[in-house]
Amino acid sequence: MRFIKSALATLIFKVIAMAAGLAVSIVIARVLGPEGRGVYALVMTIIVMSASFGVFGLPSANTFFAAKNALMARTIGTQSIITGLAGAALSIVVIFLLNKFNPAIFRGLNEATWALTFAIIPLFLWGNLFAFAYLGRGKILAFNTFETGQRVIFFVLSVFILWYLNRPIETYLAVVLTAVGIMTAVYIINYFRDVSPGSIYESSYTATSLGYGIKSYVATLLTLAVLRSGVLFTNYFGGNEAAGLFSVAQQMSELVIIIPTVVGAILFGRVSKGDSYYLTPMVLRTTTAVFLPVTMVMFLASDWLILSVFGTEFSGSITALKIMLPGAFLLGLEVIIAQDIAGRGYPWPAVLAWVPVLIMNVVGYVVLIPGSGVNGAAISVSVSYLVIFGLITTYYVKLSGTGLLQ
């Protein structure tokens, strides 16, 4: 019952967050068109990838160790602050060098947009780190607050700044930076207000958490490279408009993953405590019963969804969305299985399963995008999802000794 309540609470927040994120996309698409949507997709891709690259796998470690020992909460919080600063600095340096090496990857971003994007990065790192520390402590409401809160801020300000005031995207990002910055400060302060007594920082914990987190870190980076690099490749080969069309199709396809993502996050916390290994097959069956019909409805309604929500300028996203949806369905199931594996310590074979998938994904982009454009990118994405589902499912059965249908 507790699992179901936590999952439902998280699902409600996720629905709000996804709705707000979709609403932002619609406003930007309607106001700025495919090219402007492409620029925004680049900005968010940089921020999201940095939020994973710069945390060194510590979000999952925060959940794992906070669940194991409540007295580690202060140490986890202190390390999270330090990690956010260091990770943001490292991410910015890497992105700066990458842009110098090949500016075509990020074309369309001016100096002001770059500066604001870099300023937002540490806020997302801190939000990510502290959210998963809250999750480990069983604070489901707090766990969901940051993602949902920042999505709502992005939406409200997009309506006011971009649509009502008709200001440029730079003004929008500047106001977002201020609002999310205030929210992040409150989020961190609240974390330290009600933690259990314990050391403010234990140096030995850094090595311990990194030892655990490195597996999750590598897996997250590989996963994110597969999920988010499509925007960069379509921007490189086709420019901001192609990136805008691709990002809309991918965002719509990811709407169906909301339920598996929510369930997987809660399942990870339970499996980490060692008392819920039996849950996964049951959770997969239940989730599929809801997940599959939703995916089928979205496939059949793809034309109407794209044209009515985003407008005729985004008709080029329709076929790409249909291509991605079958793969998105399988990815949703993979997310649940992977979270179970993560709760068991994340063995290296599960982590490295993403390496051949990433290689295949990149080769697919390079071969297919020049000739087939956005649809070629969608094919590469969907096939990659199929392959990782097969690999992770096979390993889970071997690791757990449990069939998915049991």
Side-chain angles (χ1 to χ4, degrees):
M1 181 61 68
R2 181 184 174 187
F3 179 88
I4 295 175
K5 288 182 177 179
S6 297
L8 286 175
T10 303
L11 178 60
I12 292 171
F13 276 96
K14 285 288 185 182
V15 168
I16 296 173
M18 292 289 283
L22 179 60
V24 172
S25 182
I26 294 170
V27 171
I28 292 177
R30 290 287 187 175
V31 174
L32 303 179
E35 186 172 347
R37 181 63 180 82
V39 170
Y40 178 74
L42 278 178
V43 169
M44 293 311 299
T45 297
I46 292 169
I47 292 172
V48 170
M49 293 188 76
S50 297
S52 294
F53 174 75
V55 295
F56 313 115
L58 294 180
S60 62
N62 285 357
T63 300
F64 185 80
F65 290 106
K68 293 287 187 183
N69 185 359
L71 297 179
M72 294 300 297
R74 290 182 184 273
T75 291
I76 291 171
T78 302
Q79 178 169 280
S80 294
I81 292 175
I82 297 170
T83 301
L85 289 171
L90 180 60
S91 297
I92 291 170
V93 169
V94 171
I95 294 168
F96 177 81
L97 294 175
L98 184 59
N99 186 54
K100 284 292 185 181
F101 174 74
N102 197 336
I105 297 175
F106 301 108
R107 58 180 166 181
L109 302 185
N110 58 37
E111 291 184 2
T113 305
W114 272 116
L116 292 165
T117 301
F118 286 157
I120 294 173
I121 288 174
L123 304 181
F124 272 66
L125 265 68
W126 284 320
N128 191 6
L129 289 160
F130 278 94
F132 281 89
Y134 274 119
L135 177 62
R137 295 169 57 201
K139 306 284 186 178
I140 302 300
L141 179 62
F143 164 65
N144 290 290
T145 298
F146 185 82
E147 180 185 13
T148 304
Q150 56 93 355
R151 293 282 187 91
V152 171
I153 288 173
F154 270 79
F155 166 61
V156 172
L157 292 178
S158 71
V159 173
F160 184 67
I161 302 296
L162 296 175
W163 180 71
Y164 182 71
L165 296 180
N166 197 29
R167 299 289 185 176
I169 194 169
E170 291 81 8
T171 303
Y172 168 64
L173 292 175
V175 180
V176 164
L177 170 63
T178 302
V180 175
I182 294 172
M183 185 186 74
T184 304
V186 173
Y187 196 58
I188 294 174
I189 292 171
N190 182 69
Y191 175 87
F192 283 102
R193 285 179 60 185
D194 64 346
V195 295
S196 302
S199 301
I200 192 68
Y201 181 68
E202 295 181 14
S203 57
S204 60
Y205 174 70
T206 298
T208 301
S209 59
L210 286 173
Y212 175 87
I214 188 63
K215 298 176 183 178
S216 175
Y217 181 57
V218 174
T220 299
L221 289 183
L222 291 171
T223 303
L224 201 63
V226 172
L227 296 180
R228 293 289 173 261
S229 60
V231 170
L232 303 180
F233 277 96
T234 51
N235 190 67
Y236 178 81
F237 287 110
N240 295 150
E241 182 175 350
L245 294 173
F246 176 83
S247 66
V248 163
Q250 187 169 46
Q251 182 179 30
M252 293 296 288
S253 72
E254 290 176 354
L255 289 177
V256 301
I257 307 178
I258 179 174
I259 295 174
T261 300
V262 169
V263 173
I266 304 302
L267 182 66
F268 170 63
R270 292 290 299 273
V271 174
S272 294
K273 294 180 180 181
D275 63 351
S276 303
Y277 289 169
Y278 66 91
L279 274 176
T280 301
M282 179 185 69
V283 167
L284 280 169
R285 291 193 300 271
T286 304
T287 304
T288 301
V290 178
F291 185 34
L292 182 57
V294 170
T295 305
M296 294 174 66
V297 169
M298 180 167 283
F299 182 91
L300 296 174
S302 295
D303 296 61
W304 177 82
L305 284 171
I306 295 294
L307 296 178
S308 62
V309 174
F310 293 95
T312 56
E313 288 182 302
F314 288 86
S315 59
S317 301
I318 295 173
T319 301
L321 172 58
K322 291 180 177 180
I323 293 171
M324 288 187 199
L325 280 172
F329 170 75
L330 295 177
L331 181 66
L333 299 182
E334 185 276 337
V335 167
I336 295 174
I337 298 169
Q339 291 287 36
D340 176 289
I341 294 173
R344 300 169 189 259
Y346 227 142
W348 277 110
V351 175
L352 299 178
W354 282 95
V355 173
V357 176
L358 175 59
I359 294 172
M360 182 182 66
N361 185 234
V362 171
V363 171
Y365 286 145
V366 173
V367 172
L368 297 174
I369 294 178
S372 302
V374 174
N375 293 338
I379 293 172
S380 181
V381 169
S382 201
V383 172
S384 297
Y385 293 168
L386 167 64
V387 174
I388 192 59
F389 170 75
L391 292 174
I392 291 297
T393 299
T394 300
Y395 183 73
Y396 168 77
V397 172
K398 179 181 179 182
L399 176 69
S400 65
T402 303
L404 297 183
L405 297 180
Q406 291 182 323

